[in-house]
Amino acid sequence: MTAHVSLITLGVADVAAATAFYQALGFRLSKAASQPEVSFFQAGPLVLALWGREAQEHDAQAQALWTGNGGVAIAQNLASEQEVDAMMARAEALGATILRPAAKTFWGGYNGYFADSDSHLWEVAYNPFWTLNPDGSVDLPD
Amino acid sequence: MTAHVSLITLGVADVAAATAFYQALGFRLSKAASQPEVSFFQAGPLVLALWGREAQEHDAQAQALWTGNGGVAIAQNLASEQEVDAMMARAEALGATILRPAAKTFWGGYNGYFADSDSHLWEVAYNPFWTLNPDGSVDLPD
């Protein structure tokens, strides 16, 4: 097994509120795996978790490391420009902050960016050069 | 297709240096997809990208959002406590900062945390309650 990513955890202020947001956005909550303190979603090929930011900082002893928010962008790739527009509209309707409306990109694709209420950065993208698998994953060439 | 995660991008100060670090850690670089300004790795079920932090901030218009670093933990789940120990040792040998050495967790698993040189937080975990697929992905129950 080569090195890989299995799961990402977003530190949030209110787990219940963030869970409601991501469910409404279309993520599939695993009720069996979740608890009031932590939510787990099957996010296509990845597990997306929501956990209290302070609990997470304490668990990882990351208080000095986490100086604010930033440095990571999470991307959802979709199958067309229309799907990108629909997902951006859904996020905006749910209260997300639109950072950059969807538009053609310099690399020949189409994307937009939004932030959730905990300042996590999401990209919603259509990349015509990459093949998207049914579960939302992408297989890169060597 | 339900909502999902396809890719995460880490904002870094030096793409070449960060690429060398993640290759040495065991991530599979896609040379065909990568360019000097951006590296793409097949990270199990996910694509892991490295891109200049300033370019990424500018692209996403995230200057006001990215106040520092923090809020996201990226996890690599492995098949045993021994594999966790080996990956933590490899990261440390490559210059990563060990935030919390691997140890038994309150939830019945085994994990440790390290930070890369751009202050990105990684968890390395063994979770005996979850089934790990050959590609490093996890399938949650409903």
Side-chain angles (χ1 to χ4, degrees), chain A residues 4-112:
Chain A
H4 57 269
V5 176
S6 309
L7 179 147
I8 58 172
T9 302
L10 307 184
V12 300
D14 181 331
V15 172
T19 300
F21 172 79
Y22 283 101
Q23 272 195 292
L25 209 54
F27 286 89
R28 185 162 66 81
L29 179 69
S30 169
K31 289 183 182 169
S34 299
Q35 298 171 29
E37 297 77 18
V38 60
S39 290
F40 294 103
F41 295 85
Q42 187 76 47
L46 195 80
V47 173
L48 173 68
L50 305 174
W51 194 17
R53 175 166 173 142
E54 289 182 15
Q56 195 171 3
E57 274 188 354
H58 178 75
D59 189 57
Q61 299 188 8
Q63 291 89 344
L65 188 77
W66 282 13
T67 56
N69 254 67
V72 180
I74 309 160
Q76 181 170 192
N77 280 31
L78 295 170
S80 67
E81 297 187 4
Q82 292 71 28
E83 286 189 18
V84 171
D85 288 338
M87 180 58 69
M88 290 294 289
R90 188 192 281 193
E92 186 169 21
L94 290 167
T97 300
I98 304 301
L99 295 170
R100 215 201 59 207
K104 300 272 188 192
T105 70
F106 70 90
W107 47 267
Y110 185 82
N111 74 2

Side-chain angles (χ1 to χ4, degrees), chain A residues 3-7 9 11 26 28 30 32 42-43 56 59 66-69 71 73 75-77 100 113 120 136 138 140-142, chain B residues 3-7 9 11 26 28 30 32 42-43 56 59 66-69 71 73 75-77 100 113 120 136 138 140-142:
Chain A
H4 57 269
V5 176
S6 309
L7 179 147
T9 302
R28 185 162 66 81
S30 169
Q42 187 76 47
Q56 195 171 3
D59 189 57
W66 282 13
T67 56
N69 254 67
Q76 181 170 192
N77 280 31
R100 215 201 59 207
Y113 289 92
H120 295 298
V138 172
L140 297 179
D142 281 333
Chain B
H4 57 269
V5 176
S6 308
L7 180 147
T9 303
R28 184 162 68 81
S30 169
Q42 187 77 46
Q56 196 171 1
D59 190 55
W66 282 12
T67 55
N69 253 68
Q76 180 171 191
N77 280 31
R100 215 203 57 210
Y113 290 92
H120 295 298
V138 172
L140 297 179
D142 281 334

Side-chain angles (χ1 to χ4, degrees), chain B residues 98-121:
Chain B
I98 304 301
L99 295 171
R100 215 203 57 210
K104 300 271 188 192
T105 69
F106 71 90
W107 46 266
Y110 184 83
N111 73 5
Y113 290 92
F114 70 83
D116 73 12
S117 62
D118 291 288
S119 296
H120 295 298
L121 175 63

Side-chain angles (χ1 to χ4, degrees), chain B residues 11-70:
Chain B
V12 300
D14 181 332
V15 171
T19 299
F21 172 80
Y22 282 101
Q23 273 196 292
L25 209 54
F27 286 89
R28 184 162 68 81
L29 180 69
S30 169
K31 289 183 182 168
S34 300
Q35 300 171 28
E37 297 79 18
V38 60
S39 290
F40 293 102
F41 296 84
Q42 187 77 46
L46 196 80
V47 173
L48 174 68
L50 305 174
W51 193 18
R53 176 166 172 142
E54 288 181 17
Q56 196 171 1
E57 275 189 353
H58 177 76
D59 190 55
Q61 300 187 7
Q63 292 88 342
L65 188 76
W66 282 12
T67 55
N69 253 68

